[in-house]
Amino acid sequence: MVGVGPDGERSILARASLVNYHGHPVLDVFVVPTEPVTDYRTHVSGVTPELVDPRRNPAARTFADVQRDVARLLDGRVLVGHALRNDLKVLLLDHPRVAVRDTARFSEFRRVAPSGRNPALRVLAKRFLGLDIQRGEHSSVEDARVAMELYKLVRDRWEAEVGRGRGGKAAIDEAGIASD
C-alpha cells in the first residue's frame, strides 16, 4: 500500500499478491494509483513511482482490473492472510467471515502479542516458523507465503475452532488463497 492525502495518511492499493495453498503466486501485480501518491512508503512497501506508472511499467494494471481479478480468485475460496481487514479495505471488497483465516486474529497467534494488540507477521514468522522476514523492504509475496505456512502449521486446530463457532466441523481444501 502507498499513502495518499495530507502526509500520506490514507492507504490505497499499489500491489496485489495472492499465493495458493502451496505458496505459488497466482497473482502479483502493481496497481496504477487512483489518486496522487504523497508517500510511497518504499522503505517498507518496496513500491517506487516507476513500478506503478504505466508509462514506465507497462505491466502495471488499473485498480478496477485488479479488484475484479482478486474478487474472481477469492470467490468460493478461503482467504488466508495477515491483517486482512486492511487488504480488503483498500481493495473495496468483502469476503464471508466464515471463509477468512487471518493470522493476526487467530487465538494461538494472538497470545504472543501484547494484550489487545495484533501480533506482527514478522514476530509470528520468527516464533512459529523460525524465519526472519520483513528486514527492510517487505515482499508481499513472501508475506502471503508466510501467512499460508502459519495457517498450515495450525490448520487442524484452527478449523476445529472455526467449526465450534459454527456448530460443526469446518474444512478447507487446497484451493485456499493467501493475500498480503
Side-chain angles (χ1 to χ4, degrees):
M1 293 177 225
V2 293
V4 297
D7 301 319
E9 295 171 356
R10 213 166 23 88
S11 295
I12 63 170
L13 187 66
R15 184 177 182 183
S17 304
L18 300 174
V19 301
N20 66 15
Y21 187 84
H22 305 287
H24 302 290
V26 294
L27 180 72
D28 185 27
V29 296
F30 289 96
V31 182
V32 178
T34 54
E35 47 189 296
V37 176
T38 53
D39 185 356
Y40 283 89
R41 304 172 184 166
T42 304
H43 66 285
V44 174
S45 71
V47 176
T48 63
E50 297 77 22
L51 293 172
V52 295
D53 182 346
R55 294 168 298 184
R56 295 189 254 176
N57 179 7
R61 309 229 347 256
T62 67
F63 174 81
D65 286 344
V66 172
Q67 181 190 45
R68 182 190 63 243
D69 289 350
V70 170
R72 181 181 51 79
L73 286 165
L74 296 182
D75 187 38
R77 291 194 169 104
V78 171
L79 174 62
V80 175
H82 188 80
L84 289 168
R85 180 183 310 164
N86 301 323
D87 297 327
L88 291 169
K89 181 178 177 181
V90 298
L91 279 160
L92 304 177
L93 292 175
D94 290 318
H95 199 65
R97 191 169 164 197
V98 70
V100 171
R101 305 295 183 270
D102 190 333
T103 56
R105 308 289 307 154
F106 181 55
S107 61
E108 281 186 46
F109 296 150
R110 288 185 63 82
R111 290 185 195 125
V112 304
S115 181
R117 300 194 48 123
N118 287 337
L121 183 61
R122 73 180 173 284
V123 171
L124 296 177
K126 184 65 173 176
R127 174 117 182 226
F128 292 94
L129 302 172
L131 299 174
D132 286 315
I133 65 166
Q134 299 178 346
R135 295 176 153 239
E137 293 177 8
H138 297 196
S139 163
S140 54
V141 171
E142 178 182 54
D143 289 354
R145 285 178 175 147
V146 166
M148 184 60 82
E149 289 303 313
L150 286 164
Y151 169 75
K152 288 164 41 176
L153 183 70
V154 297
R155 175 183 167 170
D156 291 342
R157 292 187 303 279
W158 199 331
E159 293 307 319
E161 188 175 295
V162 170
R164 282 191 301 275
R166 289 198 322 219
K169 182 142 175 47
I172 179 175
D173 63 16
E174 293 190 2
I177 298 285
S179 166
D180 195 84

